[in-house]
Amino acid sequence: MEKIAVSCEEPSLDSPVDPRFGRAAGFLIVDPDTLEFSYVDNGSSQAMSQGAGIQAAETVCRSGAKVVLTGYVGPKAFQALFAAGIKIGQNLEKMTVRQAIDKFKAGEVDMATAPNRMGHGA
Amino acid sequence: MIISIASGKGGTGKTTVATNMAVSLGGDVQLLDCDVEEPNAHLFIHPVINEVKTITTPVPDVDMEKCNLCGKCGEICQFKAIVVIGETVLPFPEMCHSCGGCMEVCPEKAITETGRELGVIERGSRNGLEFVHGKLRVGEAMSPPLIRKVREYARPDVLTIIDAPPGTSCPVIASMKGADFVLLVTEPTPFGLNDLKLAVGAVNILGIPCGLVINRSDMGDDQVKIYAEKENLPILMEIPFDRKIAEAYSRGEMIVEVMPEWKEKFLKLYQQIEEMSFHKNH
Amino acid sequence: MKELVVISGKGGTGKTSLLAAFASLVKRKALCDADVDAADLHLIMDPRIKERHDFESGHAATINLDTCTQCGLCRELCRWDAIGEDFIVDPIGCEGCGVCYYFCPEKAIEFPLKTCGEWYLSETRFGPMAHARLGIAEENSGKLVSLIRKEGKKLAEKESLDLLLTDGPPGIGCPVIASLGGATATLVVAEPTVSGRHDMERVVELAAFFKVPAMVCINKFDLNPDMGQAIEVFARERNVTVMGRIPFDPVFTKAMVQGKTIFEFDDRSEGSKAVKVIWENLVKGLETSTCWGQS
């Protein structure tokens, strides 16, 4: 199965899903079949005042993941992920990375076709 | 000669001073409203508009037939306005500062420029007074490029009065740079003084002579006057609070319309500015 | 946690005095001054600064005249005419695009990060406050606005406060857009003048553009009651809730001169009574607001 990028607060499957995509602490890149994962830090996007979502989308794209699971994705990051052919599952905050993946595998995640909130800045 | 009317703090009476001075002087004057985010001068001047122009700023347009996804455009862009992601290039025109870097760096010549609408410029006149203002498109973030376009209407053979936006950052600088004189309109309150100091700082960076108008001069305290004296800033006019003026303003009427005796005072204000910039230049 | 952003379109309608008055009325909240270009809230809040940080943002080019061969490529490429005939970069003209730096064949151009302001985390008699000062003539005020709001939210979260009161900038451009994104709601402070109406219409349109629920109140209502009513009619047509009217009251200026909120100065004044009503309406408005400022 294709690899999944989940926004996370710490590099662990039991980390809470970071509700922010662009400003997530990092991403777990998970193989949903074996649950093997690697971690990519997103610290540099966190510090950015603008364009954080776009940079995070580039990071995820480079990781080879084809699906993103997160809380919410801003409009620019959404556009970027969409252009890269990456599928987006949102509103997955308040659970762990593991739970988010289980939910996705069970087909319980609605894959978004539009961003679910406005961006932060100019 | 270009006189830029600025303030630091908003709502101190920039537009009041700009419109009354322009109308008092009559002919051979142009008024440029550079507060493009919230232009107001037209509400008092009531110009007949005879030219409307949509203003755009160049942003990249990528020909994917030619693009080889090398990523150089994304690398040079300081504003995250273009990104190569997956198998495509994605421009974010609203973040673009129009530097042309991506177009210049593209080895395949795959990038050309198209326009992003900044807003419109309207030009008109009333009783011989030439009037130009810019109106920023709602949702557009960058006002300085539109302000610079409005300023291109300045003619060297006449007096140009610029109504600047509030604040002290880039839009204000764009409205003051290159002016011969900056008239700072303030009010004698702690907020007025705090923002006046910032505005004076900006004027000093640009090295332009300036003077003060104190509006609602009898409300507040005397700290602005103490500051002006200490900094050697000439107070060129004081407008006391008068409910009649405030009410006229609320209806879109100028002081010189409801109290014609003020015309002399605005003419005198201009003469003082003229003398001060004359001494500066000679 | 909810965030109320007070804006106005037109400057000088009383945003900051009103926000300070609200701060007197609600107990558990944090404050944020997002008018970084001409910040005034600190004049009433009298903050004790606990943390001071540089605001670094963007870059500016400088040319090393020793290695520069004056080939002129940078001057040709610069769209801001920021490089003089003497090959000195005008720091005010430089947009920070880096094109000259990228293309200089002699690598004679440096492009360091700029410090363009400061931001502060403070304690006030009304609770924690995040505020900032943009350097004079600097750019990127929108970025500083985003940053200071983020810091304000952190302050509120740290002390489990339910509300962040944010003083927004005037206008409708970059800093205002940055102060609206993700806010729970915005209160537009209008004044009953032709300019006040014009500017309020544009800022309401902006809030709608960014899908932030807007509410409006009218300051100095009695200056022109007809205009005040016209603004209220416009607001209702746009689904903008009218929160109330404040009469013209010199108490606002008098309180400001003493560095006090109007409630600290005179809580029985007409202005104070009107603001109290508006605050009660706002609390109801925020309770029913469905858009949450979470991040």
Side-chain angles (χ1 to χ4, degrees), chain A:
Chain A
M1 222 169 158
E2 288 167 333
K3 277 198 226 163
I4 300 175
V6 191
S7 60
C8 59
E9 294 177 8
E10 309 144 25
S12 138
L13 286 172
D14 297 310
S15 155
V17 171
D18 196 320
R20 308 157 302 175
F21 172 73
R23 289 176 201 282
F27 298 99
L28 274 202
I29 313 300
V30 188
D31 181 323
D33 298 323
T34 63
L35 290 186
E36 275 174 36
F37 66 86
S38 58
Y39 174 74
V40 264
D41 189 72
N42 190 47
S44 64
S45 285
Q46 251 183 338
M48 287 173 80
S49 292
Q50 62 186 137
I54 301 169
Q55 183 153 311
E58 287 179 279
T59 304
V60 166
C61 184
R62 268 197 301 274
S63 77
K66 294 290 172 211
V67 174
V68 160
L69 300 179
T70 188
Y72 52 80
V73 175
K76 294 193 189 87
F78 193 95
Q79 247 180 293
L81 290 169
F82 192 76
I86 295 169
K87 295 193 271 300
I88 302 158
Q90 301 183 94
N91 304 322
L92 295 166
E93 66 271 23
K94 293 175 191 142
M95 63 180 83
T96 65
V97 171
R98 195 189 299 275
Q99 287 166 331
I101 289 182
D102 286 346
K103 213 171 160 189
F104 173 75
K105 278 163 60 180
E108 289 168 9
V109 177
D110 287 334
M111 301 314 276
T113 50
N116 65 350
R117 63 178 278 129
M118 287 311 301
H120 259 273

Side-chain angles (χ1 to χ4, degrees), chain A residues 48 50-52 54-55 57-58 61 75-77 79-81 83-84 86 122, chain B residues 74 79-88 90-95 97 141:
Chain A
M48 287 173 80
Q50 62 186 137
I54 301 169
Q55 183 153 311
E58 287 179 279
C61 184
K76 294 193 189 87
Q79 247 180 293
L81 290 169
I86 295 169
Chain B
F79 310 106
K80 281 273 159 207
I82 188 162
V83 56
V84 178
I85 190 157
E87 299 292 300
T88 189
L90 201 57
F92 290 95
E94 70 276 27
M95 300 180 79
H97 286 229

Side-chain angles (χ1 to χ4, degrees), chain B residues 60-101:
Chain B
D61 187 26
V62 185
D63 181 352
M64 288 311 294
E65 298 279 306
K66 292 185 184 166
C67 173
N68 65 3
L69 300 173
C70 74
K72 286 207 166 81
C73 51
E75 215 173 274
I76 195 172
C77 181
Q78 292 293 317
F79 310 106
K80 281 273 159 207
I82 188 162
V83 56
V84 178
I85 190 157
E87 299 292 300
T88 189
V89 182
L90 201 57
F92 290 95
E94 70 276 27
M95 300 180 79
C96 177
H97 286 229
S98 308
C99 72

Side-chain angles (χ1 to χ4, degrees), chain C residues 49 51-56 117-121 147 151:
Chain C
I49 294 176
E51 281 181 43
R52 185 185 291 265
H53 300 268
D54 280 342
F55 169 59
E56 288 181 328
E118 274 192 334
W119 57 273
Y120 319 97
L121 299 180
L147 182 149
E151 293 299 327

Side-chain angles (χ1 to χ4, degrees), chain B residues 197-217:
Chain B
K197 287 179 185 168
L198 299 172
V200 169
V203 176
N204 287 345
I205 286 177
L206 295 170
I208 306 171
C210 72
L212 294 189
V213 171
I214 304 182
N215 193 11
R216 297 184 280 270
S217 55

